[in-house]
Amino acid sequence: METKQVLINQSSCVFRKLFERYFIRLDDAPYVYMLRDITVENNKSKYGDISINLSRLGIAFRYDIHRNMITSREYSDMYIDENQWFGTLTGLKAGLLLSPTTINNQQNKYRLCRKVIIPFGHVQIEKTPDKSHQTVTIERKASSGTLLRQYFVFILNDRLCILQSTDSPTGWLYLALLHAMTSNPLPDQYTGMTGMERSFQLLNSAGSWSDQPYDTISLNILSQIASLSPKTNYYPEHKTCMIKIEWNTQNLPCSIQHFGYYLLAKKLYETSEQWKFMYPTNTSHSIQKLFESKEYNEKVLAKLYWDYRDSYNPTARLSSQMETEIQSTSITKSYQPVWESSTLSTIYNNRPRLTDDLYSSGDVYLEDHSSLACFPLSRWLTDDYQPKNIWIGLFKLIEQLKTEQTPKQQFEIERLEILLDFLRYISRKHGTQPVYFQLLKSILKSSITPLRTLPYSELTHYENIQETSVQSHRINFPQRLFPKNREKALQEIRTCFNNNREYKNETFPTWNIDEYKIERLFESWRANATLRSFLENIQNHIHSVTIIPLNSEVDANPQSFVTEPFQNHYQIKLNSQNNSINEKLLECAEQKFLHYHQHSNYFIKSTICTEIISEHQKPFPKEIIPSTDPQINPLSDIANYFKEYLTNSWAKLQATKEYQRKYPELNEIDNFLRSYCEQSTQMRNELIKSIKLNNELLFKTGLMIRILPTTLISILQQTNTDNLSSSSLTTDQRTLLGGLLVNCVVEQQTERALYLANHEKWEDFEKEISNIPHTNWIPADHISWLIMELEMNITIREIQIQVARHMMNPKTTEDNSSIRNTVMQMNMGEGKTSIILPMLALSLSSSSSSLVRIIVLKSLFPMNYQSLRCKLGGLLNRRVLPFACRRDMNFSNLQVEQIFTRLQQGLSNCDVVLTSPEDILSFDLLTIDKCRRNEFDVGQSMLSVQHWCKTYIRDILDESDEILHVKYQLIYSVGRQQQVDGGVERWKTIQSILTFVKQHAATIAHQYGDDVFYKASTRKSHFPEFRLLSHQPFPSLCKLILKEWLNQRSFRQNELQLIESFILNTDSSIDDLSDRFPETTIQLFLILRGLLSSELLFVALKRRYRVNFGVNQNSKFNRLIAVSFRAKDVAAENTEFGHPDIAIILTQLSYYYSGLNDKQMLQCFDRMNEQEEDPDMIYEEWISQEDKNDNLISKIQHWKSINLKNYQQRTEYLFPGLRHNILVINYFLNHFVFPREAKQFPHKLVSTPWDLSSSFSRKQIITGFSGTNDTQLLLPAHIHQCDLPELQKTDALVLNNLLRSENENYRCLPISASSEEILKQIVNSHLNIQVILDVGALFIDGTNHQIATKWLNLLDKSKIDYAVYFESDEVFVSDRLNRFHAFSTSPASERLDRCVFYLDEIHTRGTDFKFPSGFRAAVTLGNGLTKDRLVQACMRMRKLGICHWLSFWSSNEVHHQIEMLKRNSSSSSSSDQNKHSSEEVTLADILRWVYENTQQATWDGLHHWATQSLSFQRKVTAFRNIYQNNYQQRYTNTMMEQLAKDCLENEILDLKSMYGPSKTWQTIYEIYCARYEYFQICSSIEIHEAVSKRLKEYSGSKKLLSQLLDEEQQRELEQEQEMEEERQQKRPPAVQPCEPVLHNEIQRLCDMQGPMMNLSKLTAVFHPLKDAFLDTTFQQHSQSHCWQKNLWVSTEFQRVIQTRGESLDTFLRPPRWVLFYRNKHVIVVSGFEANRLLGHLQLLNHKKKLNKPATTTLRLLLPRLQRDQSIFIDIPRLTIPPNVSFSIPIQWLAQLFVFNGTLYFDTVEEQTAYCQCLGLCPKPRTKLEDDAFDNGWIALDGYVEQLKHRQQLQIHHCCFPTNPLTFVKKLLENRNCSHAPLTSHVGSIIFNAVKLPIP
């Protein structure tokens, strides 16, 4: 028999029938295909079921032809309902209704709800010809995006009569849109309300609101919702007399076009954008254009909404807060004139002058008199008709009326008189004195005409009328024009203006001064002068006018507008008289709602309860605890602490009694459920009857809120019924409703139990049925908990209530009675995050006293945020406020105010704040940093926010042991970046050390096999995988490294022991070396000492790449240096390692392991090609490390064969062949990474968990919980562990479940196993593993997506469909088609049995998946795994020990550690049984190893903990100073400056301070005490005593070096902006070049016949060579008196810039032209001079005026920067004129080589002369020279200081009596813009004291 599938033709009847009936509702035909099963047996075909696949949606169905049922693949036990009508969303043609299938005759009717799948797209309405209910369709656009939101799934909650979405806010918004589009004036049958009402209910609920920007899909939905409102505006737009309404023309009925949709959508959008500065910038969306367009006038919409408000059902209205805002902005304020008491008085003693008051300054736009028509009067109220704009025009109009005789003259005068009275009346509106209009009226009445002698000024626009002369500040000169030259240019401008002529810029014609703009200014100033003259003329004549006194009493009543207050608005109220309730039902409701249910019989109870007596109690597993003998274990105090705690827990577990219960038969439970349902129906009917009694008409007309479950629950939550007087309930009604809700909760729980029983899940059934609800709490006291039970379909368990109460009001012990802050332990999977956190958020919130802030791990933030939104955003209507803060946010004062305002709103609205520890610590440090930066306004605002938070914030810590771990330290680096001490030598030394590590890695691995992880590299140019697993191999490695390093240096035999002692021993001091070695050499010693004896190299080599460190690949980070990783592939954001050497080593290792990417490779080769002088030599060195026979390398062996434009050569040979070459990587790091990023900062600000949990000045307490408590000893001193007695068995319970025999499954992986190899072993193990808990971080060679996809591809397609994993802290699922979606909205969330789960290291804590029974997980064991991390990972399997099981997979290195511990622990016992058991690794062995790691981690943490306590005490002192006596929160600048100063801590920057002093081994307690005394901290005696006590008790006898090395945690960087500012400040300012000058003496140099000039006397033209270094930093080192006396520079060569006070380092002219004068003097001249000399000498030679060989010649001199390069100066034929007879002395050339920065020599003679010139005797040396070196004549760098020693060593030409190497190195760096390469002749001599061979 053979079964196959055939594709069904889309034209067939079968396809069309199924598609058109069902699947057209989901997608278009091209995206639907059907396959039919065909069974072939005996050559006969038999048709079977049909598979329907919707490719775009990624879902499938199966049509069972026998049962005539189409079942869903994704949603088990669901089928497509034949009746697609479900009573709401009427008219929607899209969407598919799924109903539960029936099993065993209706037994499955419980638990499952119906679902409706609705595709996502643009919702639109089709026109219907019969004008019936609108038809709604969804237009889907094709998209290739794998993350396109394809569809939504909504749940039909029959108990609440609503559709629910599990996706907030996107699903809520989409559901609101669908309800709005399908709305009808009549209520929907299913929901009992109209679509509009349900839409507003959803949009007003907290689940739709967001305080972070919406995603693109949500914005798309919001824009569609906003467009439902009609377009409104004033008509015409500039007036407010009429309103124009454009109803939506897209077939949308007018009845559903609510005016509030636009207002609500815009408010949702604006709220989400308020804190946009906390999140990455999103791309713009079309919704912005919609809200910014003029199509919707918001004021008009608000007015129309308010006009029609009472016609809407109360559910379909805006929130009361929005309505209040509308009222506050729409109140019209009438104009209030000022009467007799004001300046309207008509008597004026001093008349104001026009030019001093009305026309004193500013811009004026004079209106012409012809445009000053009297009507309409409204124009005179606008800004265009301000008095200063119209006064002159009115004056001209008066003059015209009085001079021109017209028939209407008298009428116009009277009309103008009325206008002037009106203008005087409103004069106060423009802030103008009324006298000016009274004056105009007086002129109108007077008989004097005219009042002027000058013509009118032009009635036009005047700018800055006060400016009538040249104003220098209005002229923009070029920035580079010097002040004195600006004054000259300004003088010319003034002259041109005063003489009334055009400005031509004759003074500085070469400078770009904007002549056109200056001419425009001239015109403005002249026009202003004309206007002022005209006004002065009028003013002179006004004095002759008598002001007519006017009657100030105006017979007018001011306008008054009255807006009805909201509270006075008539509200329809219920008539609650005579609404009696059935007493029996009321009594029943009271019993359930107002009392405990501990002894009531209202829930199912067991019929038989029998105690389970265990005959063999499991003994305490003491073998898993490390030794508590101090002689064996130096950390025995910690081990003993763990042992005692676990012993007590084990005793509690053993004392716990277990019972076996028998419950009633299922039919009895079913009858119980039916009776409850009947009672609930009676209660519901009685409640509705009592409410509607005497109010029937109000409910029928829809004027009252509809009596529905959701609306009644909303009313029940209201504590202040005054605000809801129209819909408030009586006490009896509230009691009856409460009893009804209790009944609903019990019904839900019973349905869940029946569902589990029907599916034979008996363990879950017993757990569910044994949980009697409300036994220890009264529902009426915690209504929100009751509603949460109902909405989440849960029953809060008794222990959860106890934990919540303990968290709300901790019960402290007598020992810790003074410590208010507590944390507690509760087993994983008991509902801490999913149930107790929401309970606490609901109960602890108070609008007057506390704002709940939940602190979660950063990695769990997205999951917790989404979970809390869904749980609190529905019926409970609580908003979740996510808060983020990073240093790069750099809040402005406005942003801080926005944060403060929103927090205050959150307090009044009982919102919940969700944040992470990093964000809180960052905000604290950013506050101090603002004070440090003198941004006092922002700092004061942030301090106010902090103070407010300490008063009102109530913190709850989830996963408190991890949050309060010492690793959550946060450091702000402060100050200007500085180059690391030692500069380039710092990283080059480290590179050489790592080369030695590579060289000896195999030897160390062979010698210490179990203590080293080693994997040889595939090529000799690559760095091997090498990691130290213990400290044992490190001393041997140090000796090998030091030996290699010393072999490359020249040290005397009697000094080697001293050097070795200093570098390898910590007790030696730098004082022993200071007088014996030069500073540069001591620096190298210090670097090596830090790496070796201070064990920095060990710290780095024990870390795991991509787990503990790596390069942050996030492009937003924009840094290339290695950073700390929080977990596998999870970089700590915006951080770097605090220790520079740690950072450099780990950066090197990161790139050695990862290699360079193509972009980085291209950077290297581009630089080689464009900037290197000898790229051939560098490339040859790179290739020398490679195998020439390699296929890749053989094609790229020579530099000249490289073509960087050849894409194929680059990508196939060059880059792949060299990307892991350590020399190429070093080149990249040396040029592109370390020079930019190997920086240090002088100071730091530190914030730690001590700050997070501090009680200092805090009014609210802090509580937290976690599943583990192994870090109790690392809790800050002001918070303590306080567990419930009932939960003290938790530790033992978890270990007992771990030690089950079913979990005894251990595998060891091979060395350096790849992810694919591990996955194959897991798949082939036949353990049916469906979960990987990678807590050991063994999967490090791929992303989570890649690993999950690989695993999925290895599994059986018939069993597994999905792989679930985390990406960017969010859960994703990948399917067989490699499409990935968010897990929460994926079908995979409904089919966990068809999924595999990969949880990376960081997400093995706090995540919660409800794995089906029978699941087994593979737990990886990695180096350093502690007990809390292991337990947290294992307890992801919530039913561990019952129906979830584990298997353990260890790395090879961990396996050896476990075996070694096993051998050590069993060595004391010699029984055969122990010998036999030692062959296999057991769970006890694993736990022993885990406890050993935990013990060590605790001890390591105690050091950090003690150090952090000192930092905290320092900050307490600083803040105490600012808070004391400052109750009014007035923070002065001085206080804030002092705060920053007190909190600032110094960094150790220089090598001598870091590694120079001797170090001793001390205990942690000794180190703490010494530092406490040194810093003289005295802020808190209590804290000091608590820290000292804990360190005394638990730090043990183990010691460490007295310096904290491993300081890499969360050091946030200075902002990139600040670094940019620093770079800008380092740029040299613009300078003025010198004008070239040719002296006559220079031309006289060409004269070879006359007497020779005495150059020493011509000081104005010639200077000794030493003067070339004047005003440079080289001058002090140049030993100016030691240069050859015949070496000169011309004055013109020396002169470069005019600017004084600038360092001339960057302007040191390179010597390119040299004149040999009479073969006796060498003069370096400028190019300008050389050009003249060149012509003159050529002319002399051409005219044959030289009778003998020329003695004066001009020669070109180039530095030799490449091998075999010509320097031209020694080529006779290139001299001018040619001179063959004169040969340049080699001593002269040597000094010129030093001066011009030569790097290579052509001959041995040149090299020897160069060394002789500098007084150097480098290697290789003769026997005589070696003896001299041993005797100390020759320094380490090769310099011979004593003259007598030089003579014996035949160094006869040394010019420098003191060591010149510092000067030469700086000069070379200046000449070549880089350090001399060690491979060059000169570089090898000055850096390594070695002469390289010259061929």
Side-chain angles (χ1 to χ4, degrees), residues 1420-1431:
T1420 63
L1421 305 178
N1423 198 33
L1425 183 63
T1426 55
K1427 183 232 169 186
D1428 63 310
R1429 288 170 54 209
L1430 175 68
V1431 168

Side-chain angles (χ1 to χ4, degrees), residues 1119-1165:
R1119 289 178 71 81
L1120 298 173
I1121 205 162
V1123 300
S1124 175
F1125 274 32
R1126 291 189 285 138
K1128 193 266 285 187
D1129 285 338
V1130 182
E1133 297 178 3
N1134 301 318
T1135 65
E1136 68 172 8
F1137 286 100
H1139 200 292
D1141 291 322
I1142 290 282
I1144 294 172
I1145 300 171
L1146 294 180
T1147 300
Q1148 291 281 163
L1149 293 175
S1150 295
Y1151 285 97
Y1152 286 167
Y1153 291 143
S1154 69
L1156 302 179
N1157 59 37
D1158 286 356
K1159 180 182 177 182
Q1160 293 163 347
M1161 291 291 291
L1162 192 59
Q1163 280 181 280
C1164 293
F1165 281 97

Side-chain angles (χ1 to χ4, degrees), residues 105 166 178 196 221 226 251 325 389 416 528 564 626 630 646 1034 1153 1320 1376 1429 1476 1702 1790:
N105 300 322
T166 58
L178 293 172
M196 179 189 293
I221 298 169
N251 305 319
E325 291 177 5
N389 293 341
L416 181 58
N528 291 344
E564 180 186 33
L646 187 56
F1034 187 66
Y1153 291 143
K1320 286 180 179 178
R1376 289 285 180 181
R1429 288 170 54 209
H1476 176 72
E1702 292 293 330

Side-chain angles (χ1 to χ4, degrees), residues 532-567:
R532 184 165 289 271
S533 298
F534 174 75
L535 292 171
E536 291 287 355
N537 178 250
I538 292 178
Q539 186 71 45
N540 293 334
H541 290 83
I542 281 177
H543 290 291
S544 60
V545 177
T546 303
I547 296 182
I548 301 173
L550 298 175
N551 185 6
S552 61
E553 294 183 2
V554 181
D555 187 14
N557 293 320
Q559 292 174 299
S560 61
F561 298 90
V562 179
T563 302
E564 180 186 33
F566 182 70
Q567 58 270 22

Side-chain angles (χ1 to χ4, degrees), residues 1620-1828:
E1620 289 289 345
E1621 292 171 358
E1622 180 182 0
R1623 288 197 288 268
Q1624 289 172 5
Q1625 291 178 359
K1626 288 185 178 179
R1627 291 177 182 171
V1631 295
Q1632 194 76 12
C1634 289
E1635 293 291 335
V1637 176
L1638 184 66
H1639 295 88
N1640 293 330
E1641 289 81 358
I1642 293 294
Q1643 299 186 40
R1644 287 172 54 193
L1645 291 171
C1646 300
D1647 182 11
M1648 299 176 226
Q1649 308 298 332
M1652 187 173 177
M1653 290 188 293
N1654 187 347
L1655 302 183
S1656 60
K1657 293 185 178 181
L1658 301 174
T1659 55
V1661 184
F1662 303 105
H1663 301 272
L1665 183 67
K1666 65 181 179 65
D1667 288 353
F1669 304 113
L1670 289 175
D1671 297 326
T1672 69
T1673 58
F1674 311 119
Q1675 184 178 2
Q1676 58 181 332
H1677 302 291
S1678 64
Q1679 303 183 47
S1680 54
H1681 58 286
C1682 301
W1683 294 83
Q1684 291 274 129
K1685 301 299 183 184
N1686 66 333
L1687 296 182
W1688 305 85
V1689 293
S1690 68
T1691 300
E1692 188 56 32
F1693 175 85
Q1694 186 187 9
R1695 291 173 65 250
V1696 181
I1697 61 172
Q1698 297 180 17
T1699 308
R1700 298 299 177 192
E1702 292 293 330
S1703 171
L1704 299 183
D1705 285 8
T1706 54
F1707 303 103
L1708 186 63
R1709 198 191 296 266
R1712 291 293 178 264
W1713 294 97
V1714 180
L1715 185 81
F1716 286 81
Y1717 180 53
R1718 304 288 178 95
N1719 291 340
K1720 293 184 179 180
H1721 294 277
V1722 180
I1723 307 172
V1724 182
V1725 297
S1726 69
F1728 176 76
E1729 293 170 323
N1731 189 47
R1732 297 298 179 94
L1733 292 170
L1734 179 68
H1736 200 61
L1737 289 172
Q1738 284 181 331
L1739 182 63
L1740 290 174
N1741 185 53
H1742 180 68
K1743 293 182 177 180
K1744 304 297 182 183
K1745 290 187 177 181
L1746 300 176
N1747 299 324
K1748 53 185 178 180
T1751 57
T1752 299
T1753 55
L1754 183 66
R1755 303 182 185 226
L1756 180 64
L1757 173 63
L1758 293 180
R1760 187 178 285 113
L1761 303 178
Q1762 298 182 16
R1763 297 177 190 270
D1764 305 324
Q1765 174 193 333
S1766 174
I1767 58 175
F1768 295 159
I1769 194 172
D1770 53 354
I1771 302 177
R1773 65 178 182 276
L1774 294 181
T1775 62
I1776 304 167
N1779 188 343
V1780 182
S1781 60
F1782 177 70
S1783 178
I1784 304 172
I1786 194 70
Q1787 290 78 19
W1788 295 9
L1789 273 179
Q1791 291 214 7
L1792 289 175
F1793 288 161
V1794 173
F1795 186 58
N1796 76 346
T1798 283
L1799 295 178
Y1800 292 93
F1801 305 115
D1802 189 44
T1803 63
V1804 175
E1805 290 76 12
E1806 288 181 357
Q1807 188 180 51
T1808 303
Y1810 188 87
C1811 294
Q1812 290 253 337
C1813 174
L1814 299 179
L1816 301 178
C1817 183
K1819 295 188 294 187
R1821 299 188 178 103
T1822 63
K1823 178 67 170 58
L1824 174 64
E1825 292 169 342
D1826 280 335
D1827 293 340

Side-chain angles (χ1 to χ4, degrees), residues 869-898:
R869 282 185 65 98
C870 290
K871 290 177 173 65
L872 303 180
L875 295 177
L876 295 166
N877 203 25
R878 300 287 183 91
R879 284 170 62 177
V880 181
L881 176 61
F883 177 78
C885 179
R886 299 184 309 276
R887 190 175 194 178
D888 59 351
M889 289 178 181
N890 195 22
F891 296 139
S892 65
N893 199 31
L894 176 62
Q895 291 169 343
V896 176
E897 290 297 330
Q898 288 177 336

